[in-house]
Amino acid sequence: MKHFSLNTLLCTIVVASISIAPCECDDKLITDTCSKTPNPPLCVSYIKTDYKSKDVKDVPGLGIIVAQIFELKAKVPKDILFLMLSVGKNPDIQVQMKACFGSYSFLIYTAMPATINAFQVGKPRLAEGYANTAAIGVSDCEKSFNGKSPIHADNIITHDIALILLAKESLGSKHYYTQGEPTDGSSKAILEEEVTDVHAVHFINH
């Protein structure tokens, strides 16, 4: 009876391992897409930590995952700022902290949900705009402290994710165009310019 139970357990473990292992096509989609972002290793790492990534079949789906990761990571600096403002800590930088808190609140509760919805309804340009807003918002927050904010490390994290997200949403635009959305030469030029602009958002002391 013990022998049977052990075999049953081993079979269960093997089956479970097979069922949760991502297929090669999913890995290829993630790797190929992330290779076109500013930080491919970080991009791959973040996406693969989400169990839903193994079921994603296109670039917009990956963009949604990255937007959700941004939401999660951005809550950390927002909560830190809320606590500091609540206890009246560092009165000399209250104005900057309030501005950053407001920016993060907007990004978490408005910009990222709108980004996700834009991907879901097939409007990557709109999603790209929100991603750019996120990258600039975090950068402006850090710059308001001259690169020495009390949430510097968290700003670096969210800024990196925002740039990955911006690249994905630019690539998402390409994905939708290849699915049949009409585009002329001018649209292509705008798209290429937007992809290039992923690298144009600078961050102090990064």
Side-chain angles (χ1 to χ4, degrees):
M1 188 68 180
K2 290 182 178 179
H3 180 67
F4 173 77
S5 298
L6 179 59
N7 285 340
T8 302
L9 177 61
L10 290 174
C11 288
T12 301
I13 293 173
V14 170
V15 172
S17 298
I18 294 174
S19 65
I20 64 174
C23 67
E24 289 184 3
C25 60
D26 297 323
D27 280 343
K28 187 175 188 303
L29 172 66
I30 294 171
T31 302
D32 288 352
T33 304
C34 284
S35 69
K36 300 176 179 69
T37 66
N39 194 329
L42 188 64
C43 173
V44 171
S45 175
Y46 275 132
I47 291 177
K48 287 193 173 183
T49 59
D50 191 316
Y51 72 94
K52 297 188 297 295
S53 64
K54 67 185 179 67
D55 298 319
V56 174
K57 303 301 180 184
D58 53 28
V59 174
L62 295 181
I64 290 173
I65 286 179
V66 177
Q68 292 170 336
I69 292 172
F70 182 94
E71 285 179 325
L72 180 64
K73 296 294 185 181
K75 288 179 180 178
V76 175
K78 182 187 75 70
D79 290 346
I80 291 174
L81 290 169
F82 177 78
L83 180 60
M84 293 181 70
L85 288 167
S86 298
V87 299
K89 192 173 182 179
N90 300 105
D92 55 318
I93 55 173
Q94 288 278 307
V95 173
Q96 295 95 314
M97 287 195 295
K98 286 179 180 178
C100 287
F101 177 79
S103 179
Y104 267 116
S105 295
F106 170 77
L107 295 177
I108 294 169
Y109 300 116
T110 301
M112 288 304 108
T115 298
I116 293 169
N117 180 69
F119 265 136
Q120 292 171 336
V121 300
K123 295 183 178 179
R125 294 283 187 163
L126 181 59
E128 187 175 347
Y130 281 115
N132 190 55
T133 297
I136 293 174
V138 175
S139 181
D140 285 348
C141 169
E142 188 63 33
K143 287 179 180 178
S144 70
F145 294 94
N146 294 318
K148 297 178 181 179
S149 77
I151 52 170
H152 180 76
D154 295 298
N155 276 343
I156 289 176
I157 292 172
T158 53
H159 188 259
D160 284 342
I161 297 172
L163 290 187
I164 291 171
L165 181 59
L166 179 56
K168 280 192 182 307
E169 287 165 344
S170 296
L171 295 170
S173 297
K174 287 185 176 180
H175 167 85
Y176 284 112
Y177 286 137
T178 58
Q179 296 302 309
E181 182 177 338
T183 178
D184 55 20
S186 59
S187 296
K188 181 179 179 182
I190 292 172
L191 177 59
E192 289 175 347
E193 180 180 351
E194 287 172 344
V195 174
T196 303
D197 281 347
V198 171
H199 304 281
V201 184
H202 301 293
F203 196 71
I204 293 180
N205 292 344
H206 193 321

